[in-house]
Amino acid sequence: MERAFVVLGAIFGVAGTAAAAAASHITGAGSGLDTAANFLLFHAPALIGIALLVKTGTVHANIGRFGGLLVLVGVALFSGQLALRALADASLFPMAAPAGGTTLMIGWLLVGLAALVGPRRV
């Protein structure tokens, strides 16, 4: 799972860079694509960081993984909705952005909880 977080973090970085360029050259500021780009770029290194926290045993592994998964899904939904609306005037599904944002916040809370609980001592 940690390797997947690193790979997907890298993909978020690429997608965020591409979205930032598209927002600058195609849709313009305020279209929502710039916000999608920011969320992708902010969370790209965060996913890699979550993977490292889990891999090094700094946080509770299962809670950290689940939190990372929710961060991943939340950013994908939130940014995907904003990007699709900006580029194609379409929607993933009704309330995709709020669902993604809520999922993202729950993911971050779980990452914090994983740190509070700490690694399992066997």
Side-chain angles (χ1 to χ4, degrees):
M1 175 74 78
E2 292 78 33
R3 187 172 292 187
F5 284 162
V6 174
V7 170
L8 291 166
I11 291 170
F12 274 15
V14 170
T17 303
S24 177
H25 298 289
I26 298 171
T27 63
S31 68
L33 190 57
D34 49 346
T35 302
N38 286 335
F39 268 74
L40 287 163
L41 289 170
F42 295 155
H43 290 90
L47 279 176
I48 295 167
I50 291 169
L52 291 173
L53 290 171
V54 170
K55 189 71 172 173
T56 60
T58 304
V59 300
H60 188 279
N62 290 335
I63 298 171
R65 285 184 190 113
F66 189 57
L69 181 62
L70 292 182
V71 167
L72 171 74
V73 170
V75 172
L77 285 174
F78 184 79
S79 295
Q81 172 66 15
L82 293 179
L84 192 57
R85 189 180 321 143
L87 294 170
D89 196 27
S91 179
L92 287 171
F93 57 85
M95 303 293 290
T102 301
T103 302
L104 178 58
M105 289 186 278
I106 293 168
W108 278 118
L109 289 172
L110 286 174
V111 171
L113 179 63
L116 286 174
V117 171
R120 277 193 202 165
R121 302 287 181 214
V122 187

